[in-house]
Each structure stands twice: as structure tokens, then as C-alpha cells.
Amino acid sequence: FRTMVLTNGTPLSPAKTDFIMANTDVFCDICLNVPGIEQEDWALKSGFNPKIHSILLRNLDYLHQQTKIPVTMLVNTITEFQ
């Protein structure tokens, strides 16, 4: 039995990434829901404080360097258009 990790990327610290990569017999995929890559767009769409955007980028960079399993990225957001 293997499972997928679903995350918005902000809590996916390097330590958690290392744990996932050390246990690829349990984890089969990482699915990221990142509604934007630019800081202000991301903060607006995610509802997070823009100050933690740098944490997201650090985590995504580390994941990119360390990944041994498939990683997918989805954009799942509600945006109001005026």
C-alpha cells in the first residue's frame, strides 16, 4: 500500500521532504496545490501572508533537488473577476 502526499507546499519543509524520500516504499507521489508563483498573486489566491512566500519557494526548490518520486502541481483557486 502506497499513498500520495497532498500539500500546498508551505508545510513541506526540507526535513519532511527528506522523510518522504527516505520512504518511497510508502509514498508514491507528491501533489502540490500552488495557486500562483508570484508573491502577491500567490498571497491573494491562497489567503496566506505574503511573508511566508519565501518558505514556499525554499520548500519547492529543495523538493526539486531531492525528488525521487513523481511531483505534480495543480492550480485550485477561486478568483473573483470584476
Side-chain angles (χ1 to χ4, degrees), residues 39 42-43 46-53:
Q39 181 179 11
W42 171 82
S46 69
F48 287 109
N49 186 317
K51 293 179 182 179
I52 64 171
H53 182 258

Side-chain angles (χ1 to χ4, degrees), residues 13-78:
S13 66
K16 289 178 184 172
T17 294
D18 288 344
F19 179 81
I20 292 165
M21 296 309 147
N23 293 283
T24 57
D25 58 322
V26 176
F27 301 105
C28 62
D29 189 6
I30 297 174
C31 183
L32 296 161
N33 178 14
V34 180
I37 201 66
E38 298 297 328
Q39 181 179 11
E40 293 193 18
D41 186 46
W42 171 82
L44 177 68
K45 292 176 180 175
S46 69
F48 287 109
N49 186 317
K51 293 179 182 179
I52 64 171
H53 182 258
S54 61
I55 295 170
L56 170 68
L57 295 182
R58 177 206 65 190
N59 293 348
L60 293 179
D61 184 54
Y62 189 81
L63 174 63
H64 176 73
Q65 293 173 29
Q66 302 300 319
T67 193
K68 298 175 186 172
I69 60 176
V71 176
T72 55
M73 184 178 289
L74 304 173
V75 177
N76 184 14
T77 184
I78 297 174

